[in-house]
């Protein structure tokens, strides 16, 4: 360290990470402050400001304190920066070296690291000579610490210990060693209501609006109220469709604990990456469920549908909204009130958008189509107690018919892929032979081999999927029971409901009405049965 200090406008930088806290009082913010203030006072300096990053990693140079420090340095507000040691400033040896050797000198800033005897005013000191080695060691320490933390986390995940800092809405921390999630009944009631509303066919936007209108606090506002603290995040207090959607997709609510869903790119690059599903740590029945598995399964089926439906001005989703398609162009039918009596009708979207040159109207009133669908549902089962056997026979007959068609199609595709695979092997072999004979340049050989190999890998994946699909024959009994269960539930309903439509119907193809004497063709495609039920 230079004997002639002569400090002027001085900035103190203090940093403490969560890992440094384990080192005890010697690394604390207060301890750093005492050491640095004493040094500056003894050398006649004036402290312009303190810049603090408490709980931040030294590998991250997006820290708020360091960003403010660098901004003030560039604006000429300070002449000197003093830190306890180099690791307090940072643990990325490239960035630390860049600031100390290039950026600070460019702005006339003197940098001092007390414990490491680094002072840029004395470039010939032993501390400056050792600085590159110390920076590399500091980064190695960060990398080694990162590996140890990851190993500890993986051990906790495998043991079923909850490591996330927050629990999903509807749960709170348990008092046992594993911090097992326990139900927070006040919030759990809202979660159950969200699932009930979704099962009834409400969109996530409709659900979010209903909860907001009733003044129910969203998860962030709810937890802030419980803690009695003001949240640092300036988030909206209202429910958003994304919040509702996340709750409807979270398997935590059926008792499944899923950890290691995200990771960091590296200990230096803190970009968050999603972990592939097969690499996540999953434990079934890890805690008490809020939602039963049948409801969960039905809600996920609704979430995966393209037919979400849209609410009208009265915030109502009509029973068949999003389920009606044009039998000619394949576009969905759009619903709207028409005429002086405001009759709700469905019409082809292509016709509405582009006119009769591209498609006809395919118009049908809501009352007409709902009556046809309800009648057809009843006719399939009639009296549940008497005709259950008949309904099973119908399901198996239709499913077998469709299944045979699918098997023929899959078998044909499988044979074509197997033949193509054999062709690719011959092509790759011929390319190598031409290369050996000197008839083919190496660059062309490499390009062709890569092309054929990529196609071969894709064909192998498709073959594996087709073989698996052709081998799946043991789930038919479960599908029959599910089909009958749904029919029993809705067979005697007096009116069509959104929930009923989503549970039973895949989609409905609406044909054009030719003449008054020739009824249109309406094909209702039910779940579990891919063939169409025709109604005239």
């Amino acid at each position: 360290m230079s004997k002639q200090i002569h400090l002027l406008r001085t900035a103190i930088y203090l940093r403490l990470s969560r890992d440094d806290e384990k080192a005890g009082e010697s690394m604390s913010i207060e301890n750093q402050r005492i050491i640095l203030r004493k040094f500056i006072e003894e050398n006649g300096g004036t402290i312009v400001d303190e810049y603090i990053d408490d709980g931040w990693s030294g590998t991250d140079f997006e820290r708020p304190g360091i960003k403010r420090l660098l901004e003030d340095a560039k604006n000429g507000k300070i002449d000197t920066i003093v830190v306890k040691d180099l690791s307090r400033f940072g643990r990325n040896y490239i960035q630390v070296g860049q600031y100390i050797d290039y950026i600070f000198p460019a702005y006339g800033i003197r940098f001092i690291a007390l414990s490491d005897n680094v002072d840029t005013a004395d470039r010939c000191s032993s501390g400056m000579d050792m600085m590159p080695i110390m920076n590399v060691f500091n980064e190695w320490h960060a990398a080694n610490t990162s590996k140890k933390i990851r190993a500890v986390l993986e051990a906790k995940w495998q043991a079923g210990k909850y490591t996330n800092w927050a629990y999903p809405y509807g749960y709170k921390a348990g008092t046992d060693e594993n911090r097992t999630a326990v139900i927070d009944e006040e919030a759990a009631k809202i979660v159950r209501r969200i699932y009930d509303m979704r099962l009834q066919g409400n969109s996530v936007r409709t659900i979010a609006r209903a909860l907001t209108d009733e003044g129910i606090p969203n998860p962030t506002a709810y937890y802030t109220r419980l803690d009695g603290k003001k949240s640092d995040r300036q988030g909206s207090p209202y429910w958003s469709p994304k919040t509702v959607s996340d709750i409807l997709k979270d398997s935590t609510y059926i008792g499944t604990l899923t950890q290691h869903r995200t990771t960091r790119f590296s200990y230096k690059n803190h970009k968050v990456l999603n972990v592939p599903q097969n690499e996540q740590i999953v434990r079934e029945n890890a805690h008490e469920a809020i939602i039963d598995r049948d409801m969960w399964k039905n809600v996920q089926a609704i979430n995966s549908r393209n037919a979400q439906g849209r609410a009208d001005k009265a915030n109502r989703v009509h029973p068949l909204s999003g389920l009606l398609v044009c039998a000619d162009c394949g576009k969905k039918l759009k619903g709207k009130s028409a005429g002086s009596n405001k009759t709700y009708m469905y019409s082809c979207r292509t016709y509405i958008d582009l006119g009769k040159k591209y498609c006809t109207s395919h118009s049908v009133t809501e009352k007409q189509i709902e009556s046809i669908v309800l009648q057809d549902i009843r006719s399939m089962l009639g009296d549940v107690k008497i005709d259950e056997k008949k309904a099973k026979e119908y399901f198996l007959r239709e499913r077998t018919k469709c299944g045979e068609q699918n098997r023929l199609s899959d078998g044909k595709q499988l044979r074509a892929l197997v033949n193509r695979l054999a062709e690719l092997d011959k092509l790759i072999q011929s390319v190598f032979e031409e290369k050996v004979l000197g008839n083919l340049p190496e660059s062309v050989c490499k390009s062709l081999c890569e092309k054929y190999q990529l196609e071969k890998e894709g064909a192998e994946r498709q073959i594996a999927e087709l073989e698996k699909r052709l081998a799946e024959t043991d789930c038919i009994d479960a599908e029959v029971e599910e089909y009958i269960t749904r029919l029993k539930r809705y067979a005697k309903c007096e009116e069509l409901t959104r929930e009923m439509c989503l549970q039973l119907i895949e989609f409905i193809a609406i044909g054009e009405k030719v003449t008054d004497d020739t009824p249109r063709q309406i094909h209702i495609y039910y779940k579990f049965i891919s063939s169409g039920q025709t109604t005239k």
Side-chain angles (χ1 to χ4, degrees), residues 141-156:
H141 175 79
N144 192 45
T145 300
S146 177
K147 290 178 181 178
K148 290 179 179 178
I149 292 173
R150 183 178 292 273
V152 170
L153 280 175
E154 288 179 355
K156 289 183 177 180

Side-chain angles (χ1 to χ4, degrees), residues 421-437:
L421 206 59
E423 291 177 4
L424 288 169
D425 286 333
K426 291 179 181 178
L427 287 170
I428 292 172
Q429 182 179 349
S430 66
V431 168
F432 276 111
E433 289 175 353
E434 292 295 318
K435 170 64 172 62
V436 172
L437 293 173

Side-chain angles (χ1 to χ4, degrees), residues 78-79 113 160 162 348 469 508:
I78 54 179
D79 300 310
Y162 194 90
C348 173
R469 197 155 63 204
I508 302 171

Side-chain angles (χ1 to χ4, degrees), residues 427-473:
L427 287 170
I428 292 172
Q429 182 179 349
S430 66
V431 168
F432 276 111
E433 289 175 353
E434 292 295 318
K435 170 64 172 62
V436 172
L437 293 173
N439 299 330
L440 201 65
E442 184 176 351
S443 59
V444 177
C445 173
K446 182 179 179 182
S447 175
L448 287 173
C449 285
E450 288 178 352
K451 176 185 175 182
Y452 293 147
Q453 185 61 35
L454 283 173
E455 186 180 350
K456 182 179 176 182
E457 291 173 359
E460 288 173 343
R461 285 194 297 270
Q462 285 182 277
I463 288 171
E465 290 174 3
L466 287 170
E467 289 176 339
K468 180 181 178 182
R469 197 155 63 204
L470 288 168
E472 289 177 346
T473 58

